[in-house]
Amino acid sequence: MVAVQAAEADVLPLLVGREAEVGIAAVNGPVSVVLSGVETAVLEVAEKLAASGVKTKRLRVSHAFHSPLMEPMLAEFAAVAEGLSYVAPSIPVVSNVTGEIASAEELCSPGYWVRHVREAVRFAAGVEALAGAGASVFLELGPDGVLSAMGQDSLPEAVFAPALRADREEAQALSEALAQVFVRGASVDWVEVLRAAGVRGRRVELPTYAFQRERFWLEPVAVSADRGEAVDAGFWDAVERGDLPALADTLA
């Protein structure tokens, strides 16, 4: 599998006639797709893109997921899927297959999960579907912030907070993520968060008195050039001597 920094529409023409060997495994952003399939075919397409100035990166994976090479196992996978029991979700679910909010009928269908194995992951479309439904704050539950980075490419104005980060302690990463989403309007049960961390806490009310909002900044005064130079010299002399009365006189 190879990640390429290009739009899906720019990559598809290079796959014409090679559909049995290579396909698009994922569309992660406006200019971010993943190629998957027969190694030689994938690398040939990637080299053509690289020759035209497109950045490419080979991914370390165990199988050519979401590619034609998955087809030999689809029948066996379908047999397993048909033997499972399905329950309609209690919250809306955005499908990575369609990039849209999925219906209960879709998610409870064995055929849907078979499609999930073979077809491209429509991550970018899914993020846009969530934004269309009113979501603007995203909390990523995963081992790092990979999805948050990809989501930011599709929705630059949205907030993406990964709950775990590879470069910091778990407690710190989770606390930072919860703080990010909280200050942007998301509801966080801080009492439960503290309890899970082994800390007892409770909500308290802030003082209700009104602040007076008085300003005490020194206001600049207009002086002549000669007077300004004298004041400036006197000011710094007073500072060096620590002479507070003289310092006050220079500012009067």
Side-chain angles (χ1 to χ4, degrees):
M1 298 177 75
V2 175
V4 299
Q5 198 173 75
E8 181 182 15
D10 295 331
V11 176
L12 285 175
L14 300 178
L15 308 183
V16 175
R18 313 190 72 166
E19 291 84 357
E21 296 181 305
V22 59
I24 291 180
V27 182
N28 294 326
V31 287
S32 177
V33 302
V34 176
L35 299 175
S36 182
V38 178
E39 181 179 15
T40 54
V42 171
L43 294 179
E44 286 175 9
V45 174
E47 288 172 2
K48 289 183 179 179
L49 289 165
S52 63
V54 174
K55 292 184 179 180
T56 67
K57 179 182 179 180
R58 186 164 183 173
L59 304 178
R60 294 183 179 180
V61 294
S62 59
H63 293 76
F65 300 109
H66 304 283
S67 81
L69 297 187
M70 291 288 100
E71 292 180 3
M73 57 80 69
L74 294 182
E76 184 178 354
F77 183 87
V80 174
E82 289 168 358
L84 301 177
S85 298
Y86 299 88
V87 178
S90 58
I91 61 173
V93 175
V94 174
S95 168
N96 270 337
V97 177
T98 65
E100 301 175 351
I101 296 178
S103 66
E105 291 74 19
E106 281 182 297
L107 298 177
C108 292
S109 168
Y112 169 82
W113 299 104
V114 175
R115 291 178 58 198
H116 217 306
V117 174
R118 173 64 181 85
E119 297 183 20
V121 175
R122 298 280 169 185
F123 177 79
V127 170
E128 292 172 359
L130 284 168
S136 60
V137 179
F138 299 83
L139 177 65
E140 178 181 351
L141 303 180
D144 204 351
V146 176
L147 298 182
S148 291
M150 295 192 303
Q152 202 81 68
D153 289 338
S154 296
L155 300 176
E157 302 303 320
V159 174
F160 289 85
L164 294 176
R165 299 294 298 268
D167 59 351
R168 63 199 68 177
E169 294 294 330
E170 290 185 8
Q172 177 188 354
L174 180 58
S175 297
E176 291 175 352
L178 292 177
Q180 275 187 277
V181 300
F182 179 71
V183 298
R184 289 166 175 82
S187 177
V188 176
D189 187 343
W190 290 111
V191 173
E192 182 62 23
V193 171
L194 293 173
R195 187 199 66 76
V199 179
R200 296 183 62 183
R202 61 185 178 86
R203 293 182 66 91
V204 297
E205 298 295 332
L206 290 174
T208 57
Y209 60 81
F211 292 94
Q212 294 180 333
R213 300 181 183 278
E214 293 186 52
R215 297 176 72 253
F216 295 94
W217 293 106
L218 294 174
E219 300 293 343
V221 294
V223 295
S224 65
D226 293 341
R227 167 64 176 160
E229 292 176 2
V231 169
D232 186 59
F235 173 83
W236 290 112
D237 286 342
V239 169
E240 291 178 359
R241 297 196 308 273
D243 189 342
L244 295 181
L247 182 59
D249 289 341
T250 63
L251 299 174

